[in-house]
Amino acid sequence: MTAPATPTPLTAQQLAFRNAMAHLPAAVCIITTDGAAGRCGITASAVCSVTDSPPTVLVCINRNSAMHDVFTQNGHLCVNVLGGEHEQLALHFAGATKLPMAERFTHNHWQDGVARQPVLSGALVQLQGHIRDCKQVGSHSVMFVELDDIAVDAEQDSLVYFKRLFHTVRPQVHA
């Protein structure tokens, strides 16, 4: 029997990069997929707009993640941008609560969207699309997702991740 491999210690540059990224506020999203390879979701902040012609976002997923291949094989996904009240849900999909994947979808209100992708009712933004292209960069896959459906709830607060903690950002009311 072989002992499990011990993780390679991070270099000073990797630690500095991770610290710098912790100081970059980012929207918290649950990326979901459903299809022949299965149904799953992950909490992520590595989502970014690319272009509006056609509407495209990029989503970065660690290739070592157990869910990585499910996303690439299904070919469709939904970026559910979380509102301020979704912190516990973000923890479930991050694996922090050890809740089994199937049970994560029993919390809150999930519905089938375009191409049967799980869409979170009450999300700040719902971006449903298909993976148009995928590039491997370091430990991650950068997925270019062409959007098929876009929905926004402009009245919601936003959940952001900053300095390794969740924060709620409320819209400023103008008099």
Side-chain angles (χ1 to χ4, degrees):
M1 183 171 186
T2 306
T6 55
T8 305
L10 298 175
T11 67
Q13 185 177 27
Q14 288 170 312
L15 289 170
F17 176 77
R18 287 183 180 197
N19 186 51
M21 293 301 99
H23 289 79
L24 180 67
V28 179
C29 305
I30 295 177
I31 315 300
T32 56
T33 189
D34 195 358
R39 181 180 184 132
C40 72
I42 60 169
T43 300
S45 60
V47 175
C48 180
S49 66
V50 176
T51 183
D52 65 357
S53 301
T56 303
V57 296
L58 64 80
V59 174
C60 300
I61 299 179
N62 191 319
R63 289 195 323 269
N64 291 323
S65 165
M67 274 80 60
H68 175 273
D69 291 347
V70 178
F71 283 97
T72 58
Q73 291 171 23
N74 284 346
H76 287 83
L77 58 79
C78 181
V79 176
N80 298 279
V81 181
L82 301 185
E85 76 278 5
H86 295 128
E87 183 174 336
Q88 187 64 37
L89 195 60
L91 291 170
H92 288 321
F93 278 88
T97 62
K98 307 294 185 208
L99 193 65
M101 186 61 69
E103 288 182 42
R104 296 175 195 182
F105 286 101
T106 63
H107 290 73
N108 292 355
H109 303 282
W110 291 95
Q111 58 191 20
D112 285 345
V114 174
R116 290 188 25 230
Q117 298 317 293
V119 176
L120 176 63
S121 298
L124 174 63
V125 176
Q126 302 158 340
L127 304 171
Q128 300 177 69
H130 58 279
I131 300 170
R132 181 64 130 170
D133 196 6
C134 189
K135 305 287 184 194
Q136 293 184 1
V137 179
S139 59
H140 283 63
S141 286
V142 180
M143 299 175 186
F144 292 86
V145 181
E146 190 172 315
L147 301 179
D148 302 312
D149 192 65
I150 301 168
V152 177
D153 181 350
E155 302 300 316
Q156 285 270 6
D157 295 338
S158 180
L159 187 64
V160 299
Y161 198 65
F162 176 63
K163 292 190 175 181
R164 297 180 175 92
L165 296 171
F166 292 113
H167 302 274
T168 299
V169 176
R170 292 181 173 76
Q172 191 173 22
V173 179
H174 298 285

